[in-house]
Amino acid sequence: MDVFSPAQLLGYLAFVLGVVAFAQRIDWRLKLLVATECIVYTLHFYLLGNNPAAISAALSAARMFAALKTRSPALASLFLVANLGLGLATATSWTAVFAIGAGLAGTVAAFFLTGIGLRALLLVATLCWLTNNCLSGSIGGTLLESTIAVINTTTILRLWRNRYRTGSMGKMKKKLLPSDVAS
């Protein structure tokens, strides 16, 4: 395997885009960078000859670009059906359930959630992809999804901490700190 082949170079670019995407605190930037990452990933998987992964990545890119403009439940439903249908049509083993689950979770996150909820469900999708990549022996994909999981978790914690510090959690603030109860 040539680590500097065009396919691998695209994989490295997708890795960088994914890392930058999940460090974002602003939803639209996250979605835009994830969509761009998915386009690069589509080409990466196509050059590697992995057509089901290329189809899934292309669908994910379209979904994220669409979610930048609309939160239409009808369009979300279309993407859910497409994820499920194309996933089942291209599945070659039971492990496809993780890629299909990732697509479904990503769709719900992109169309219906914001902030911490968006990132939390995208973390579920990332963990599905991570499981898929581990089971299929994908070293690069495993590294990418592992890194994204760590960065996304860190961003979720930063957002939660910021929300807590600004007092937007209301009464939960008093319940979370034992020192507040004692004072």
Side-chain angles (χ1 to χ4, degrees):
M1 176 187 310
D2 181 7
V3 296
F4 295 110
S5 69
Q8 295 304 328
L9 292 174
L10 286 170
Y12 305 146
L13 177 58
F15 174 80
V16 170
L17 289 167
V19 168
V20 173
F22 282 95
Q24 300 300 310
R25 293 187 200 187
I26 299 170
D27 290 353
W28 70 265
R29 286 185 190 161
L30 169 69
K31 290 178 182 181
L32 181 64
L33 286 165
V34 168
T36 305
E37 172 203 343
C38 289
I39 290 171
V40 174
Y41 237 15
T42 299
L43 297 171
H44 168 72
F45 287 127
Y46 176 76
L47 291 176
L48 289 176
N50 188 340
N51 291 331
I55 290 168
S56 179
L59 192 55
S60 293
R63 174 194 70 216
M64 281 300 200
F65 280 126
L68 281 167
K69 298 291 182 188
T70 182
R71 296 177 64 104
S72 164
L75 188 57
S77 297
L78 178 68
F79 278 106
L80 288 169
V81 168
N83 272 306
L84 191 57
L86 290 173
L88 292 174
T90 59
T92 58
S93 76
W94 69 271
T95 61
V97 70
F98 296 106
I100 294 167
L104 296 173
T107 299
V108 171
F111 280 95
F112 299 114
L113 301 175
T114 61
I116 294 172
L118 167 68
R119 285 158 184 79
L121 197 51
L122 287 177
L123 179 59
V124 169
T126 296
L127 295 174
C128 286
W129 276 115
L130 178 59
T131 303
N132 175 75
N133 294 342
C134 287
L135 289 172
S136 64
S138 171
I139 295 169
T142 299
L143 291 173
L144 171 62
E145 300 303 334
S146 296
T147 303
I148 288 174
V150 169
I151 291 169
N152 193 18
T153 300
T154 302
T155 303
I156 290 168
L157 292 172
R158 285 182 6 223
L159 288 169
W160 182 83
R161 187 175 58 231
N162 187 51
R163 183 190 307 173
Y164 173 79
R165 284 183 180 160
T166 61
S168 61
M169 290 181 68
K171 294 180 182 178
M172 280 183 68
K173 182 177 182 181
K174 294 295 181 191
K175 293 179 185 177
L176 292 176
L177 287 179
S179 60
D180 286 343
V181 175
S183 55

